[in-house]
Amino acid sequence: MIGVAIIIDTLSALRRKKFDEYQIIALEKIMLFNGSFLTIIFPLSLFILIFVPRYFVEMVFFFILFQWLCMIITEITYLLKNYKID
């Protein structure tokens, strides 16, 4: 997982262009999706943890992993869609 994050950061750093209007809108949509996803999944995770305390640690790590994977997928989608090799 750390390797995927390093690859994404490296590809982002290699692309030193200024963002145009389309890319800014796409980034805003990604941030909006990730933020809304987090506001839905966080209360849901707390609700589950309150009513099923037996698997507290497993559920916390599951929700952290799930949220991280969703963010990685949206960022990889953005990079693959907008990364052009000149």
Side-chain angles (χ1 to χ4, degrees), residues 1-2 4 9 15 27 32-34 36 41 44-45 49 54-55 60-62 65-66 75 77 81-82 86:
M1 288 188 263
I2 294 172
V4 172
D9 288 342
R15 190 167 190 266
L27 282 172
L32 182 65
F33 172 76
N34 288 334
S36 60
I41 201 81
L44 179 66
S45 66
L49 290 174
R54 184 184 308 167
Y55 301 110
V60 167
F61 281 109
F62 170 73
L65 179 69
F66 188 67
E75 290 176 7
T77 304
K81 197 174 178 184
N82 295 310
D86 295 327

Side-chain angles (χ1 to χ4, degrees), residues 8-75:
I8 289 173
D9 288 342
T10 304
L11 288 176
S12 296
L14 289 176
R15 190 167 190 266
R16 294 279 180 180
K17 291 182 179 179
K18 297 215 180 226
F19 293 119
D20 62 359
E21 220 173 290
Y22 173 75
Q23 291 169 330
I24 291 173
I25 291 171
L27 282 172
E28 288 174 351
K29 287 180 183 177
I30 288 171
M31 296 289 192
L32 182 65
F33 172 76
N34 288 334
S36 60
F37 179 73
L38 185 61
T39 49
I40 292 169
I41 201 81
F42 185 69
L44 179 66
S45 66
L46 289 179
F47 180 76
I48 291 173
L49 290 174
I50 288 170
F51 289 105
V52 188
R54 184 184 308 167
Y55 301 110
F56 181 80
V57 174
E58 292 87 354
M59 290 302 271
V60 167
F61 281 109
F62 170 73
F63 283 119
I64 289 171
L65 179 69
F66 188 67
Q67 196 267 342
W68 185 80
L69 285 174
C70 287
M71 289 182 72
I72 291 295
I73 289 170
T74 55
E75 290 176 7

